[in-house]
Amino acid sequence: MSQSTSAANSTPLPLKILASRYFLEWLNQSQVSLALTTYQSSRLMLIGTNEMGQISGFERMFERAMGLFAVDSERLYLSSRYQIWQLDNVLQPGQQYNGFDRLYVPRVGFTTGDLDIHDLTVDRTGRLVFISSLLNCIGTIGVRHSCTPLWKPPFISQLVNEDRCHLNGLAMEAGLPRYVTACSQSDVVDGWRDRRREGGCVIDLQTNEIIAAGLSMPHSPRYYQGRLWLHQSGTGEFGYLDFSTGRFEPIAFCPGYLRGLAFLGNFAIVGLSRPRGDRTFTGLALEEQLIRKQTEACCGVMVIDLQSGNIAHWLKLEGVVTELYDIQVLPGVRQPMALGFQTDEIARLLTLEPIAPLFSSVPFD
């Protein structure tokens, strides 16, 4: 299975999509689609099924696409190189556009500068909250400036544009920021790279305390069903944090560098990347695990049963895309697409709100 749809002109992409036997059936029965980001090849990717039950892959180009958050199936937030985009679905229920049942259009852009935004989300007040790895802090959209800093780790001495600890992941609980992951507790520029094997930690934002340490490149913390789930990317393991001991408890090994995590029922949906051959990825236990298990790293998505740890379904990407960063589930969506800025389609497609009165009903004095 290797069908994909081009964002611009419906021609085959230089990308091959391979799926396990029942992956598409699982998507159909669950009535969901998936949204993925890859900063390595600057893509927002939308994976669903068409009317014939075949895979539907759609992409749009956003430079260094990373953090992704779905408010619901009607709105997405996406971080790119120096902007955050709000994409809104413009189709009415039951309406289609060229066979697609969701059409996400970038309606609002926030220019932040290059903050190296990783995880982003929306809190229960509707405020956009994100991790700036460059500034080692949690921030939100600024009115006149690049951002408004909200919090920094206790071991970071000052807010400065130096990626010191590689703060990257943000988990929400009850609609509020609760946990973050960092790759080290370093307070010097780029110092986290020296502690990639065992310097990672989890911080509880309520207490400002480190509740887990000794992790290898932790990413994508998510609070779900009473547990804090996360990736220990440096070892290729997905699992949860035991709050009583502060230990990471792995439930599954995946053949790749793990980033991106979403949930659907009793399944975790995780993203895998092929490690690059640079200093960031070399020298990790993941390399040793792959050799021991006599396999190679892959790029794609794995669906993990939370009870057994078994891989229930998988999707592999081969070709131009070798890394993924984030994953979101789009409930009730069969075949989504989006507009971007590489073609003039975004200039030609016009949608209107219902007509509104020019003046209010209050008479003039």
Side-chain angles (χ1 to χ4, degrees), residues 106-239:
R107 290 299 189 199
V108 180
F110 303 95
T111 301
T112 62
D114 188 357
L115 297 177
D116 197 15
I117 293 173
H118 280 55
D119 282 7
L120 82 165
T121 186
V122 174
D123 69 14
R124 64 188 185 191
T125 69
R127 179 176 61 173
L128 192 60
V129 181
F130 54 79
I131 295 283
S132 168
S133 294
L134 185 68
L135 295 177
N136 311 283
C137 76
I138 298 175
T140 188
I141 296 299
V143 177
R144 300 180 62 182
H145 302 285
S146 296
C147 75
T148 301
L150 302 174
W151 175 89
K152 66 177 180 63
F155 49 79
I156 294 295
S157 58
Q158 60 180 325
L159 285 172
V160 61
N161 57 335
E162 299 175 351
D163 182 356
R164 297 180 173 187
C165 65
H166 203 61
L167 193 72
N168 57 55
L170 174 61
M172 306 290 282
E173 183 180 357
L176 294 174
R178 180 63 193 272
Y179 304 101
V180 294
T181 51
C183 290
S184 82
Q185 299 178 47
S186 171
D187 193 31
V188 298
V189 60
D190 215 32
W192 63 273
R193 295 184 188 275
D194 299 323
R195 299 296 306 280
R196 291 171 300 119
R197 280 188 74 105
E198 58 355 276
C201 63
V202 177
I203 306 172
D204 186 335
L205 299 175
Q206 282 192 356
T207 63
N208 222 29
E209 295 179 349
I210 295 171
I211 59 173
L215 303 176
S216 180
M217 302 286 281
H219 279 83
S220 308
R222 306 287 186 263
Y223 190 79
Y224 183 71
Q225 293 182 349
R227 280 182 169 170
L228 180 64
W229 303 88
L230 67 152
H231 300 316
Q232 187 163 227
S233 305
T235 64
E237 294 171 316
F238 164 70

Side-chain angles (χ1 to χ4, degrees), residues 36 259 270-274 298-302 314-317 321-324 327:
L36 316 172
R259 281 177 306 209
V270 307
L272 288 78
S273 299
R274 289 191 216 129
C298 66
C299 175
V301 174
M302 288 192 171
W314 53 262
L315 182 82
K316 293 183 180 180
L317 305 175
V321 176
T322 61
E323 296 181 18
L324 297 180
I327 297 175

Side-chain angles (χ1 to χ4, degrees), residues 249-290:
E249 299 291 344
I251 72 164
F253 171 78
C254 298
Y257 190 85
L258 292 168
R259 281 177 306 209
L261 175 59
F263 295 92
L264 181 65
N266 196 45
F267 294 101
I269 306 160
V270 307
L272 288 78
S273 299
R274 289 191 216 129
R276 299 190 303 267
D278 61 17
R279 185 186 172 201
T280 301
F281 294 95
T282 56
L284 297 173
L286 172 61
E287 291 180 314
E288 301 155 15
Q289 288 267 52
L290 292 170

Side-chain angles (χ1 to χ4, degrees), residues 312-364:
H313 312 284
W314 53 262
L315 182 82
K316 293 183 180 180
L317 305 175
E318 297 180 353
V320 67
V321 176
T322 61
E323 296 181 18
L324 297 180
Y325 181 77
D326 218 344
I327 297 175
Q328 290 286 286
V329 174
L330 305 177
V333 180
R334 178 182 56 80
Q335 189 177 10
M337 67 165 287
L339 296 187
F341 303 104
Q342 302 296 311
T343 71
D344 65 353
E345 189 176 7
I346 196 167
R348 293 184 283 104
L349 180 70
L350 303 178
T351 62
L352 303 178
E353 299 281 356
I355 192 167
L358 178 60
F359 299 110
S360 68
S361 57
V362 179
F364 292 105

